[in-house]
Amino acid sequence: EAQVTQNPRYLITVTGKKLTVTCSQNMNHEYMSWYRQDPGLGLRQIYYSMNVEVTDKGDVPEGYKVSRKEKRNFPLILESPSPNQTSLYFCASSISPGLAIGETQYFGPGTRLLVL
Amino acid sequence: AQSVTQLGSHVSVSEGALVLLRCNYSSSVPPYLFWYVQYPNQGLQLLLKYTSAATLVKGINGFEAEFKKSETSFHLTKPSAHMSDAAEYFCAVSYSSASKIIFGSGTRLSIRP
């Protein structure tokens, strides 16, 4: 089954304690992306990756890091989380952001993060 | 700056009525346009997308959207609303295969019995 998985699904942590949210896709997609969803703001892109070892900043990259060492994995790292990073996070993947007809962008189930 | 505007954070229609969710984009170059749906406590699902092939795009669950360049709009419609259509809908835009995707702030659709 084609899917994007995220772990953990729920996480409560404290300010400054480093954490990693994993994202993995089984579709051999080149494009992967992280978003955060906040009420009234919709989804905002944090980072995206066009392929292995190729990453770029989205709209709200401050306070986040990513890596793309393997095609299937795209972890999101918060080196020193702060309360303003409390949010719902989604990972997504697709063959490309929006080119060929018939493509679909697949989203993971989301990770709800609370930073105290 | 590139942006997407969704008019109306909340739209309520009666079951069986027309659904119209509005989306306008700012662009001087041809865009790729998307509509996504998010059901409660779930991730996002692609409803449909415009990639310059046809201006009227049909998606899943009976939804469709029309790209109107002169109005810079990509409104989402469905002729007859079902209770199961209650969800949040997001319009999004990108401008090349190597660019980031920009989402609108979302419109919550409620269906009245």
Side-chain angles (χ1 to χ4, degrees):
Chain A
E1 179 189 355
Q3 61 181 356
V4 177
T5 56
Q6 294 179 229
N7 283 291
R9 294 289 313 279
Y10 304 92
L11 179 60
I12 301 174
T13 189
V14 295
T15 298
K17 186 176 181 181
K18 181 180 178 179
L19 65 92
T20 300
V21 184
T22 65
C23 173
S24 183
Q25 50 95 1
N26 62 0
M27 296 163 282
N28 202 36
H29 285 165
E30 294 189 350
Y31 182 91
M32 296 186 75
S33 181
W34 276 103
Y35 300 89
R36 61 177 289 173
Q37 183 178 15
D38 302 290
L41 297 177
L43 277 84
R44 293 178 292 170
Q45 195 169 34
I46 303 170
Y47 270 95
Y48 64 98
S49 169
M50 294 301 297
N51 213 327
V52 176
E53 303 293 0
V54 180
T55 63
D56 207 349
K57 296 178 181 178
D59 292 318
V60 289
E62 294 77 20
Y64 304 94
K65 284 176 57 178
V66 293
S67 68
R68 190 88 183 273
K69 295 186 173 63
E70 307 166 278
K71 201 170 191 179
R72 65 182 291 122
N73 297 321
F74 190 46
L76 179 69
I77 303 156
L78 284 71
E79 293 271 1
S80 183
S82 62
N84 64 13
Q85 292 179 297
T86 292
S87 188
L88 178 59
Y89 292 86
F90 288 101
C91 180
S93 77
S94 67
I95 296 173
S96 72
L99 192 57
I101 294 173
E103 286 175 26
T104 297
Q105 182 161 169
Y106 291 84
F107 278 79
T111 295
R112 192 169 291 278
L113 173 65
L114 172 61
V115 183
L116 300 173
Chain B
Q2 299 155 355
S3 66
V4 176
T5 302
Q6 290 185 241
L7 293 175
S9 59
H10 184 211
V11 170
S12 180
V13 303
S14 298
E15 192 173 16
L18 171 72
V19 174
L20 170 61
L21 304 182
R22 299 178 187 273
C23 173
N24 288 87
Y25 64 93
S26 64
S27 172
S28 58
V29 297
Y32 300 112
L33 293 157
F34 311 82
W35 274 100
Y36 289 87
V37 60
Q38 184 180 30
Y39 297 105
N41 299 314
Q42 294 187 27
L44 278 77
Q45 181 181 7
L46 183 67
L47 266 181
L48 51 80
K49 64 179 181 179
Y50 167 76
T51 56
S52 77
T55 56
L56 183 62
V57 181
K58 294 187 184 301
I60 62 172
N61 301 338
F63 284 93
E64 62 183 35
E66 185 172 10
F67 171 67
K68 292 187 176 180
K69 184 178 179 180
S70 61
E71 299 176 8
T72 61
S73 69
F74 191 57
H75 302 330
L76 181 71
T77 61
K78 181 173 180 177
S80 177
H82 294 161
M83 296 300 293
S84 60
D85 294 327
E88 187 145 21
Y89 293 80
F90 293 94
C91 182
V93 63
S94 69
Y95 293 96
S96 77
S97 61
S99 80
K100 59 186 181 184
I101 299 173
I102 302 166
F103 281 81
S105 56
T107 297
R108 183 167 299 279
L109 176 64
S110 300
I111 312 296
R112 302 187 300 270

